[in-house]
Amino acid sequence: QRRGTWGAHLFFASSCLRFVVRSKPEMRWYESVAVEVIKKGAIPKHVAFIMDGNRRYAQKNVIERRVGHRHGFTKLKQALEWCLYLGIEVVTVYAFSIENFKRSQTEVSELMTLAKEKFEEMLPEEGFMKQKGICVRVLGAVHLLPQDVQESMAKVVSQTFNNKNAILNVCFPYTSTEEIHHAAVSIVEGVSQGSLQVGDVNENLFERCLYTAECSRPDLLIRTSGEIRLSDFLLWQTMDTRLCFMSVLWPELSLWDLLWNILLYQRDTATHLLTGVASKQDTLQTKDSQERINQFLLSRRQAHIDYLKQFL
């Protein structure tokens, strides 16, 4: 029995060593062990973040507001690394609300400059997105952005288009209200132009016209800074999502915060509190209807690609 006990200890020690070897440089060995334990349970495929608290972080630490936003972008990269290491396939972040254009012109200008800078950092072949195989998608009313920001954004989207390891959805500038309005207008135009028939229109088609159509619905949504609201973010997509609201400010988010929320998600999944229902194609539609819908969606996607190409 003692030999069996020592054998178990040896197996555990060797397992821990393997975890250390595989862990990332910025991750301590016990963090790597915790991650491996969490990975034994259900891991959400799609995690969304409302990255709130950059300005309060700046006030708290007596630093300039723009420096607080820079810390926020740094945290995004770190959080993305954690998600990749955990095996999360899709990360969606609320980077900039359309409502934020109502802030002071100075702050908006600082944020646009920072966004352009961060998009350009994603471009080099040896950069983080290329190394990790991350496909970057920018979701929202991108036509509202300054032209130089749109140019940098278009280059990133184009250069990472074929990356297959993971997806980063950057909602910028975005509100769910605008997204739903955009989808509704698109369908109405499709019917009026003859691309669709009234009988083609249903809930499934509507969801396939949202900016997030190519991804499953979020399994887990995390909002920092203590606010308990969605602030017009993914209102349609989060009907089955595990919502987590944390008091920690976004730049202060830790790996332990993320693991705790995934643990809560695993608890809910185990007790069947989450349905996890994903959008599926409507099998009740006729073949002709499905062909019309597919052609309509293909033309919408091509129009978006053509719009981005003008900036390349």
Side-chain angles (χ1 to χ4, degrees), residues 49-301:
F49 292 100
I50 300 179
M51 306 183 295
D52 195 14
N54 291 340
R55 295 194 294 179
R56 273 171 280 179
Y57 174 82
Q59 293 173 351
K60 176 182 175 181
N61 291 277
V62 196
I63 56 178
E64 293 183 25
R65 184 176 54 207
R66 60 185 178 85
V67 178
H69 287 304
R70 285 188 177 276
H71 280 279
F73 271 94
T74 300
K75 180 57 63 177
L76 170 58
K77 181 179 178 181
Q78 187 178 35
L80 189 57
E81 288 182 308
W82 294 335
C83 289
L84 289 173
Y85 191 57
L86 282 159
I88 295 167
E89 299 172 4
V90 182
V91 174
T92 300
V93 297
Y94 203 179
F96 189 86
S97 168
I98 293 174
E99 295 298 311
N100 288 345
F101 281 117
K102 297 178 182 178
R103 294 181 179 179
S104 69
Q105 185 58 45
T106 300
E107 183 175 4
V108 172
S109 179
E110 289 173 351
L111 287 168
M112 292 299 116
T113 299
L114 183 58
K116 181 176 183 294
E117 175 187 316
K118 295 305 176 181
F119 277 132
E120 290 177 349
E121 286 180 5
M122 299 178 186
L123 291 174
E125 285 293 317
E126 68 279 5
F128 179 77
M129 298 300 168
K130 184 68 174 180
Q131 289 180 352
K132 304 300 181 182
I134 301 171
C135 173
V136 179
R137 297 173 180 168
V138 181
L139 313 182
V142 295
H143 64 279
L144 298 177
L145 297 171
Q147 182 167 337
D148 60 338
V149 178
Q150 291 193 58
E151 290 173 355
S152 299
M153 173 207 72
K155 290 177 183 177
V156 171
V157 172
S158 175
Q159 291 189 16
T160 64
F161 182 80
N162 293 318
N163 292 348
K164 303 298 184 183
N165 290 346
I167 295 172
L168 172 62
N169 292 320
V170 182
C171 295
F172 179 81
Y174 173 94
T175 62
S176 189
T177 302
E178 190 279 332
E179 177 184 32
I180 292 171
H181 176 265
H182 180 268
V185 169
S186 178
I187 292 173
V188 169
E189 290 179 348
V191 173
S192 64
Q193 294 170 4
S195 301
L196 295 171
Q197 293 183 7
V198 174
D200 299 330
V201 181
N202 56 23
E203 179 181 324
N204 178 262
L205 172 62
F206 188 86
E207 184 156 5
R208 294 173 73 187
C209 288
L210 297 175
Y211 296 136
T212 57
E214 296 182 31
C215 300
S216 62
R217 295 174 183 172
D219 302 296
L220 174 66
L221 184 147
I222 299 172
R223 176 168 188 159
T224 55
S225 85
E227 297 289 341
I228 306 178
R229 52 195 173 92
L230 293 179
S231 296
D232 212 353
F233 181 57
L234 301 180
L235 300 183
W236 179 282
Q237 297 90 333
T238 52
M239 62 183 72
D240 303 311
T241 301
R242 208 294 175 189
L243 306 178
C244 297
F245 300 98
M246 309 190 68
S247 59
V248 64
L249 302 177
W250 171 251
E252 298 174 335
L253 184 78
S254 71
L255 174 63
W256 300 109
D257 294 323
L258 178 59
L259 295 182
W260 171 249
N261 284 296
I262 293 177
L263 189 62
L264 294 177
Y265 165 81
Q266 292 176 341
R267 181 199 65 184
D268 288 351
T269 302
T271 53
H272 306 286
L273 293 179
L274 294 180
T275 62
V277 177
S279 175
K280 297 181 180 180
Q281 292 192 15
D282 192 343
T283 55
L284 298 179
Q285 290 172 326
T286 65
K287 182 177 180 181
D288 289 343
S289 177
Q290 290 181 5
E291 289 179 354
R292 278 194 303 272
I293 290 172
N294 290 336
Q295 186 60 41
F296 169 71
L297 296 173
L298 185 62
S299 64
R300 291 181 75 251
R301 183 177 184 183

Side-chain angles (χ1 to χ4, degrees), residues 22-39:
R22 291 203 304 267
S23 65
K24 295 183 179 300
E26 67 276 12
M27 196 175 290
R28 297 177 178 88
W29 71 267
Y30 51 85
E31 293 175 328
S32 298
V33 172
V35 168
E36 293 296 334
V37 171
I38 289 292
K39 287 168 70 174

